[in-house]
Amino acid sequence: MIKHKFAFAAAFALLLAGLVLPGCKPERPRPDAPHPEVSARVLGETGLEVLVAVPPGHHAYLDRGDMEALIPISFDWAQTGASPTLSARPDGERDETVGATVLRGAGRFVFESAASAALRGKTVRVQSQICNEEKGVCYRPTVQEIELL
């Protein structure tokens, strides 16, 4: 019985240790923490574009990573009353250190939506998490409310 408890405790400790990704330590939110610059606009009658610019020396995630534990750039269109479909996103680059596809610099996300012109002036919520590559620190995720121009 004691062997089973020890094995369970050891397995649990290894699982928790595996959740800490190399080069990415969580940090408390700070008001001066860097965040991506985000803008959004309507493209014609059926298109929407969201531009995300990650600060130099940082990256954002484009997927949840190999361990399915990361927070990628995501979009919440609920406030618009629409459900746009993602038609193009930045390719990004695979970073084996963090086990994910990351965005460095700027990226363009394109969505299709019927009657997108009617969404002008409405707000999309953009969630992202960025990491400082030099310090190896990931900041808490941010949610930005961006008006569609």
Side-chain angles (χ1 to χ4, degrees), residues 63-148:
D63 60 38
R64 293 185 43 83
D66 297 343
M67 296 176 62
E68 296 289 317
L70 303 174
I71 300 171
I73 298 170
S74 62
F75 307 90
D76 178 358
W77 298 93
Q79 294 176 322
T80 67
S83 300
T85 304
L86 182 65
S87 60
R89 72 169 201 148
D91 290 333
E93 56 187 86
R94 176 73 183 174
D95 186 326
E96 293 302 331
T97 305
V98 296
T101 305
V102 300
L103 175 65
R104 292 182 176 95
R108 179 177 183 249
F109 296 81
V110 179
F111 297 84
E112 292 180 17
S113 178
S116 62
L119 301 179
R120 192 178 313 275
K122 301 218 175 173
T123 302
V124 60
R125 293 171 53 113
V126 181
Q127 180 179 11
S128 62
Q129 179 179 29
I130 65 170
C131 300
N132 182 308
E133 296 180 335
E134 183 179 316
K135 294 179 183 177
V137 172
C138 292
Y139 301 98
R140 289 197 181 200
T142 60
V143 175
Q144 296 170 275
E145 294 193 4
I146 307 300
E147 181 181 349
L148 287 159

Side-chain angles (χ1 to χ4, degrees), residues 21-55:
L21 299 171
C24 191
K25 300 171 280 195
E27 184 174 277
R28 291 183 182 201
R30 297 185 342 231
D32 63 336
H35 58 277
E37 289 185 30
V38 182
S39 63
R41 68 184 182 122
V42 173
L43 298 174
E45 292 298 318
T46 60
L48 302 164
E49 172 185 71
V50 179
L51 299 175
V52 177
V54 178

